[in-house]
Amino acid sequence: MSVYPLMKNKNGGAMHPQSTFYSEEYAERMCDLYLTEEHSRDEHGHIHRQYRLHARHPHTIEMALNYTIQCPKCKIHDLKQVGRCLDSHTLGAYICPVCDKH
């Protein structure tokens, strides 16, 4: 599973995922926010990539909805939230609306 620590933009824009070789356990201890990559297969056999946002510090739903995150794959488009928060540390699920079409 790929792990992407998120770096906050100084100008308040989208957060940038960083490519690393971190384990999820390391990211959980060291990163305030990070994404994990998840794959799912649809009824037609196509594999879809989505990302789950994780936070080291507890978040409310309102806090979790305030983030704008750049796609780790294309690094151009912003991710779109498609899934709800699971708890205060395991936040929303996201897809890239452009990359997911391919």
Side-chain angles (χ1 to χ4, degrees), residues 42-61:
D42 66 16
E43 64 275 3
H44 302 291
H46 299 111
I47 296 175
H48 296 276
R49 176 180 295 145
Q50 71 178 27
Y51 303 94
R52 176 69 67 175
L53 179 60
H54 301 269
R56 182 168 33 161
H57 305 290
H59 277 58
T60 64
I61 292 173

Side-chain angles (χ1 to χ4, degrees), residues 2-79:
S2 297
V3 176
Y4 302 95
L6 294 173
M7 304 302 289
K8 294 181 182 177
N9 188 332
K10 295 175 186 172
N11 299 328
M15 289 191 287
H16 301 280
Q18 305 297 309
S19 296
T20 67
F21 295 104
Y22 290 173
S23 68
E24 188 171 355
E25 293 79 19
Y26 181 82
E28 187 176 334
R29 285 193 321 263
M30 302 305 291
C31 303
D32 287 335
L33 293 168
Y34 65 95
L35 295 172
T36 55
E37 186 174 298
E38 302 171 353
H39 297 100
S40 62
R41 189 178 302 271
D42 66 16
E43 64 275 3
H44 302 291
H46 299 111
I47 296 175
H48 296 276
R49 176 180 295 145
Q50 71 178 27
Y51 303 94
R52 176 69 67 175
L53 179 60
H54 301 269
R56 182 168 33 161
H57 305 290
H59 277 58
T60 64
I61 292 173
E62 291 78 18
M63 291 167 66
L65 291 173
N66 282 328
Y67 296 117
T68 303
I69 304 167
Q70 196 175 61
C71 175
K73 183 178 177 188
C74 69
K75 300 185 184 334
I76 297 171
H77 299 96
D78 292 340
L79 297 177

